[in-house]
Amino acid sequence: MSLRPDQLIKLLIHESFHYRKAMVVSFLLINLFMLVLGLLWPKGYTSSSTILVDDKKIIQPLMQGAAVSTEVADRSRLAREVIFGRKIMSQLLEQGGWMKKNPTPTQQEDIIKGLTKRMAITNVGKDLIKIEYRDIEPERTFKVTQKAAELFISESLGVKSEESQDAFDFIDKQTKEYHEKLVKAEEQLKEFRSANLDARPGTDADISARLNLLQTRIEQASQDLKEAEVKKQSLEKQLSGEAEVATALSREGQFRSRIADLQSQLETLRLNYHDDYPDIVQLKHQIADLSQAIVDERKRREAAKASGKVVIDEGVINNPMYQQLKQELSQTRVNIEMLSARIGEAKRQLQQELERGRRVHGGEATLSELTRDYQVNRDIYQDLLRRRENARVSMSLDKEKQGLTIKIQEPATLPLTPSGLRFLHFVIGGLLLGVLMPVGLLYAKVQLDPRLRLGALISDKHKVPLLAAVPHLWVPAETQAVRRELAWLSLVVNGTLLVVVITGVLRLVQVI
């Protein structure tokens, strides 16, 4: 139902008068309920303590890079983890007096849960942590808050020192392990180099150069050997031809020279003697023998030529030309033997270098692996040495309370007045709710009830003119009854207000 503000106000007043008893009873009950709730509502006392966490001191720039300071991003979260731990909570139970009743473990857990719910730990600044605790007893609130702050500081410093000691011990252990690994790697590398002298940097280049040199020597010696063999064959041919010529010239020449001498002697004897003279006969026989010797010599030379042999006469051997060729041939044969030996030796050295190269290549991988392991272990060991010294300095700073400063910036105080909802809040809330709640219910009823309660709504809804509205006429008896009823209702409202005021005064003077 859509109503104008003036129509709505008029209608609410009319409905309130119509349901006046229910309105007054609702006002009475709501105020009495809120009054009782305010009386029974437990008082809450709050105490807080602010802790300063400062890790930026004068010593920090001096020790930059040599020590690791504490870096805390969410200090309140770390503080909750520390304070809400079982160790500190057990001490807080002792401090708060809960352990005097000897609670069971289950009851202790319930008390701890209540403590954690009533304790708030927040960041109030970059380096400030606020511990706030609420309880129904002011003295216990103060003691618990104070003790929580003290225990947090002592525990944090102790944990920080223990962490530094543990970090140093761990790094020191790792340093010793890697020192043993480094010594072992050094021994393995030393033993490998002792067993493989060729396993050194630059060996590959030396072997390659050596192989190239030996290959060049073999090629050059092979070329020289071929030339020497050609020269040998040429000298052998020259010696063979010279021997044949010299032999032919020497023997046949001797025979022919002898025959010529004998012919001369024969002619001389024929001048004085006949052919049957003994000396002439003897000369003829000698000439015939020499002629036969020439024929035999020719046959022998032809046979030797056919068999490829050269028959050398002793006279030829003493020939200077033959001696020179013979000497050159002998020298050439010596050169051939030397070149052959040189080639064989070069090939043997080449094979040795190839085998050496295979060994070097096989050991190079092992050497690289050993060297890599040594370098890795050395780098890690050196880094661990630096880290160990940093950890040592950090541990010293923590022991001297120089690395991280935690102190109470604002100590906890004894709360004198309760905090949170107070009795006055319940009184004011009861008065407001006693008025607003019935009016709100009436407004809901008006909006949901489809009946027409104002004459103007007939014209608005049905679009017909309203001629007249007949009001309710009160008879004298009804008027008297309504007046008496309003008087009683006013008395109830005033009595309710009086009870509220008296209760508030008594609560103020702490009578109730």
Side-chain angles (χ1 to χ4, degrees):
M1 183 181 296
S2 178
L3 297 174
R4 296 192 305 272
D6 57 338
Q7 293 177 345
L8 181 60
I9 294 173
K10 184 178 179 181
L11 184 58
L12 289 176
I13 293 174
H14 179 269
E15 292 294 325
S16 298
F17 182 77
H18 182 70
Y19 295 101
R20 54 189 177 274
K21 293 181 180 179
M23 294 284 289
V24 172
V25 172
S26 299
F27 179 79
L28 174 64
L29 294 177
I30 290 173
N31 276 274
L32 291 177
F33 174 75
M34 294 299 292
L35 190 64
V36 173
L37 183 62
L39 291 174
L40 299 178
W41 190 265
K43 294 181 181 180
Y45 295 90
T46 302
S47 181
S48 63
S49 179
T50 304
I51 299 174
L52 175 64
V53 181
D54 185 14
D55 56 356
K56 297 178 176 59
K57 302 185 66 177
I58 297 176
I59 197 170
Q60 183 181 10
L62 300 177
M63 303 305 296
Q64 187 71 30
V68 181
S69 301
T70 304
E71 295 291 340
V72 182
D74 189 359
R75 303 186 189 277
S76 63
R77 180 179 61 82
L78 297 178
R80 282 192 292 271
E81 292 179 359
V82 174
I83 295 176
F84 293 162
R86 185 70 183 184
K87 180 179 180 181
I88 292 182
M89 279 296 167
S90 299
Q91 299 182 48
L92 291 180
L93 292 181
E94 293 283 350
Q95 185 69 21
W98 286 286
M99 298 301 294
K100 293 180 180 180
K101 299 179 180 180
N102 296 322
T104 62
T106 303
Q107 293 174 343
Q108 292 181 22
E109 290 295 332
D110 295 337
I111 296 174
I112 290 174
K113 289 181 181 179
L115 271 174
T116 56
K117 290 180 180 179
R118 296 192 299 272
M119 185 175 293
I121 303 173
T122 57
N123 287 324
V124 294
K126 185 177 180 181
D127 298 322
L128 293 176
I129 299 175
K130 184 178 182 180
I131 301 176
E132 189 175 37
Y133 176 66
R134 178 181 175 83
D135 204 333
I136 59 176
E137 297 182 9
E139 186 176 357
R140 186 169 64 186
T141 303
F142 166 70
K143 289 182 179 180
V144 171
T145 306
Q146 185 183 44
K147 190 66 173 179
E150 294 175 354
L151 292 175
F152 169 69
I153 293 175
S154 61
E155 188 70 17
S156 298
L157 294 177
V159 169
K160 184 67 169 57
S161 180
E162 290 178 2
E163 289 179 354
S164 299
Q165 182 67 43
D166 293 341
F168 174 79
D169 294 339
F170 174 76
I171 296 176
D172 184 63
K173 179 180 177 182
Q174 293 294 315
T175 303
K176 293 179 180 178
E177 290 180 359
Y178 273 94
H179 180 263
E180 294 177 357
K181 292 181 180 180
L182 182 61
V183 171
K184 183 178 179 181
E186 288 178 348
E187 292 296 331
Q188 291 178 349
L189 189 60
K190 185 186 298 182
E191 292 176 0
F192 180 80
R193 286 180 173 173
S194 299
N196 300 271
L197 299 178
D198 292 332
R200 64 180 185 276
T203 304
D204 288 342
D206 295 341
I207 292 175
S208 178
R210 179 68 174 169
L211 290 175
N212 292 332
L213 179 61
L214 290 174
Q215 192 67 33
T216 303
R217 288 181 179 178
I218 291 174
E219 293 176 356
Q220 184 64 37
S222 298
Q223 185 67 26
D224 294 342
L225 180 61
K226 291 179 181 179
E227 294 177 357
E229 289 177 348
V230 172
K231 184 177 180 181
K232 173 187 172 184
Q233 293 176 0
S234 177
L235 289 174
E236 288 178 347
K237 291 179 179 179
Q238 291 180 11
L239 282 173
S240 177
E242 181 66 23
E244 290 179 357
V245 172
T247 301
L249 291 176
S250 60
R251 292 183 67 87
E252 289 186 8
Q254 293 176 2
F255 291 156
R256 292 184 184 279
S257 177
R258 182 64 177 165
I259 290 174
D261 291 338
L262 292 175
Q263 285 288 350
S264 176
Q265 293 178 11
L266 180 61
E267 292 297 331
T268 302
L269 290 175
R270 280 179 175 178
L271 292 176
N272 298 318
Y273 301 100
H274 293 283
D275 292 337
D276 56 355
Y277 186 71
D279 292 337
I280 294 175
V281 174
Q282 185 180 3
L283 288 173
K284 286 181 178 182
H285 286 295
Q286 291 179 356
I287 292 171
D289 291 337
L290 290 174
S291 297
Q292 186 63 38
I294 292 173
V295 173
D296 293 338
E297 181 64 25
R298 287 179 179 176
K299 290 179 179 181
R300 186 172 63 87
R301 189 167 60 247
E302 292 293 336
K305 187 175 182 181
S307 62
K309 296 181 179 180
V310 177
V311 180
I312 302 174
D313 190 70
E314 294 180 357
V316 176
I317 295 175
N318 296 323
N319 190 350
M321 181 64 68
Y322 183 82
Q323 290 293 332
Q324 183 179 358
L325 292 175
K326 189 69 174 178
Q327 185 178 2
E328 291 181 4
L329 179 60
S330 177
Q331 185 65 36
T332 303
R333 287 174 177 172
V334 172
N335 290 336
I336 289 174
E337 292 178 357
M338 291 175 59
L339 290 173
S340 298
R342 188 181 302 172
I343 292 173
E345 180 64 21
K347 288 183 178 180
R348 186 184 64 81
Q349 293 179 359
L350 180 64
Q351 189 64 30
Q352 290 179 351
E353 289 297 323
L354 290 174
E355 293 295 331
R356 179 188 174 198
R358 294 189 187 97
R359 291 195 306 271
V360 168
H361 286 302
E364 185 177 0
T366 305
L367 178 63
S368 300
E369 183 178 359
L370 292 175
T371 304
R372 182 171 58 251
D373 292 343
Y374 170 76
Q375 292 176 350
V376 170
N377 290 326
R378 183 192 59 189
D379 295 341
I380 296 177
Y381 176 69
Q382 292 176 352
D383 182 66
L384 286 173
L385 285 178
R386 291 190 295 268
R387 291 179 182 272
R388 185 176 66 178
E389 293 306 314
N390 293 342
R392 190 194 305 275
V393 175
S394 299
M395 183 176 61
S396 300
L397 290 177
D398 292 332
K399 288 182 179 179
E400 298 295 332
K401 304 295 188 297
Q402 298 294 325
L404 177 65
T405 299
I406 303 178
K407 63 180 181 179
I408 296 178
Q409 183 72 14
E410 183 179 348
T413 57
L414 180 66
L416 301 177
T417 57
S419 60
L421 292 177
R422 303 172 64 181
F423 181 75
L424 180 61
H425 298 152
F426 287 96
V427 172
I428 296 174
L431 294 175
L432 293 176
L433 286 176
V435 176
L436 295 178
M437 185 177 290
V439 173
L441 293 175
L442 286 177
Y443 176 77
K445 183 178 181 301
V446 168
Q447 293 294 328
L448 297 176
D449 194 352
R451 291 180 297 174
L452 298 176
R453 293 178 173 81
L454 295 176
L457 294 177
I458 298 175
S459 299
D460 295 339
K461 186 175 182 180
H462 299 285
K463 306 300 180 182
V464 295
L466 179 64
L467 297 179
V470 180
H472 178 74
L473 297 177
W474 297 89
V475 297
E478 291 178 341
T479 302
Q480 290 296 330
V482 170
R483 287 177 179 175
R484 286 193 302 269
E485 184 179 341
L486 290 176
W488 280 105
L489 293 176
S490 298
L491 182 62
V492 171
V493 172
N494 291 329
T496 302
L497 295 176
L498 181 61
V499 171
V500 171
V501 172
I502 293 174
T503 305
V505 173
L506 294 176
R507 185 61 179 263
L508 183 63
V509 297
Q510 297 183 352
V511 175
I512 57 175

